[in-house]
Each structure stands twice: as C-alpha cells, then as structure tokens.
Amino acid sequence: MKLFITGIGTEVGKTICSAVLTQYFKADYWKPVQSGDLDFTDSHKIAAWTDVKVCHPETHRLKLAASPHQSAREENVRISLNDFRLPETERHLIVEGAGGMMVPLSDKIMMIDLIEKLDIPVALVIRNYLGCINHSLLSLMALQQKKIQLEYLVFNGDFPPDTERVISGFVTEKTRIIRIPEMNQPDKDSISAAAEQLLKTNL
C-alpha cells in the first residue's frame, strides 16, 4: 500500500492522520516538501508519535513557513516535478503533502500535480469548520477531474451528522470512510489507540 495524504486545506490534521495510518499499516513515511519548522518537522512528529521504522528524507526542506512556492523563491530554489521519486521500500508507504491540493510548488505546479505524477491513491483529510463542506466538495471535484483514485475519506475529529452525510454522499462505494478521534495534544499513546481502533474496521 502506497498512499498520499492530502487535505481540504491547511491545519486540518494531515500529520495526525498520517501518523495514525503510518502506525496502522506499519508503514514508512515520506514528506516530499517541508516548508518551515525545520527544527521539528512533520517527519520528527511522525517519529515521535509512532513506531515508524523509516522516515525517508524530504526532497525539499525550506526554511520559511509559507506556501512552498514562496519559500522556494526566498531561497532561490526551483521546484520541478522531476525532483520527486517515490522512495524504494518493501514496506507500506505513507506520503504526506503540504497544505491542500491546490497549494503551489511553483508558479505553475500545484500539489495535485505531484499527486498525479506519483500515481498513488489518496486519503483526503477533512476537519469540521464553517466552510468545510464547500472545501471538501471542491477537493473531491479536483480529484475526479484528474481521475485520481480516492482510497479513503478521513473525517478528523467531531462532525455534525448533517455535514458528514452531505460530504460522504459525493464519494463512490469504492472509497472507504475513516474516522479519527479528536486529538488536541497527540502523543504516542493517543495515536496508537486510534490505530488500534482502525484495526476493528478492517481497512
């Protein structure tokens, strides 16, 4: 299993969900682009929260905590799709994107273009907030337009039933739904407990 974790926007909990799925699948982890927080990257968080064996090095590590295209420009770095290759591993692999699918890697390359290049299924992370239905359905439309396989729809945290029902109604039966409990301060115990809960769902 190789899986790309993306979200309907920034700060929706992609790293928490990546940690749960990394723990569940006993997978390797790879963050292609880290923009900011180089002293405590998402790879550092995954290593701290899970039993991951390997966190593959980022292709681009950028200092400025901003959109990757802006961070790269600050450092005179040009990001190209040709920069990226899936790490070789015999284990499962969880790949985590930066921000949402239309986050720019350059003036003309978006995160969804990287997903398309890597050619692996997607897990779309959704968090409840005013506007999340709109952002979720736009994200689903973008995946459908690119004919990218949506393996999982991930509801991160608590959701009103009406919100969850509407969003779920726009995916096919082939897409499996995952629910991750609310975690204000994730740690190894809470991530492990969430992964154990997923075991009961037979992903």
Side-chain angles (χ1 to χ4, degrees):
M1 161 69 74
K2 292 181 174 63
L3 191 64
F4 195 106
I5 313 299
T6 189
I8 63 170
T10 303
E11 302 299 329
V12 296
K14 291 189 305 298
T15 304
I16 289 174
C17 295
S18 294
V20 172
L21 291 171
T22 296
Q23 184 70 20
Y24 174 85
F25 286 113
K26 297 179 172 57
D28 289 1
Y29 172 84
W30 180 44
K31 177 90 172 182
V33 179
Q34 177 70 41
S35 192
D37 299 322
L38 297 187
D39 292 330
F40 191 45
T41 65
D42 289 340
S43 293
H44 289 136
K45 294 173 185 175
I46 297 294
W49 295 344
T50 73
D51 298 321
V52 65
K53 300 296 184 185
V54 178
C55 285
H56 296 275
E58 301 93 338
T59 302
H60 288 285
R61 289 170 55 89
L62 305 165
K63 295 177 183 177
L64 181 64
S67 174
H69 82 299
Q70 181 182 351
S71 303
R73 186 177 178 85
E74 290 281 335
E75 297 181 36
N76 294 315
V77 172
R78 295 186 65 182
I79 297 179
S80 165
L81 288 179
N82 293 328
D83 299 342
F84 300 97
R85 296 285 187 279
L86 279 172
E88 293 186 7
T89 178
E90 295 181 358
R91 290 181 288 269
H92 299 299
L93 178 66
I94 298 297
V95 182
E96 182 184 351
M101 288 183 293
M102 298 308 291
V103 163
L105 297 173
S106 71
D107 287 0
K108 295 185 178 180
I109 301 170
M110 305 297 160
M111 188 61 63
I112 196 169
D113 298 315
L114 175 58
I115 298 173
E116 188 176 34
K117 173 191 167 54
L118 295 177
D119 193 25
I120 59 176
V122 160
L124 179 65
V125 178
I126 301 169
R127 190 162 183 79
N128 182 48
Y129 56 84
L130 188 61
C132 74
I133 295 175
N134 179 58
H135 294 161
S136 298
L137 299 189
L138 287 171
S139 297
L140 291 171
M141 288 173 63
L143 290 170
Q144 292 165 3
Q145 185 179 45
K146 291 277 192 179
K147 295 182 171 57
I148 294 170
Q149 179 183 343
L150 180 62
E151 190 75 15
Y152 299 110
L153 192 66
V154 185
F155 289 103
N156 181 34
D158 300 325
F159 279 80
D162 290 339
T163 298
E164 186 172 324
R165 185 181 66 254
V166 168
I167 296 171
S168 299
F170 281 82
V171 300
T172 69
E173 293 180 355
K174 293 180 180 178
T175 297
R176 287 170 282 183
I177 294 174
I178 298 174
R179 295 173 180 85
I180 303 293
E182 186 71 37
M183 293 187 213
N184 294 322
Q185 294 182 319
D187 57 22
K188 198 163 189 175
D189 288 342
S190 58
I191 294 295
S192 179
E196 286 289 331
Q197 192 65 31
L198 285 185
L199 285 171
K200 300 177 183 179
T201 66
N202 294 318
L203 293 184

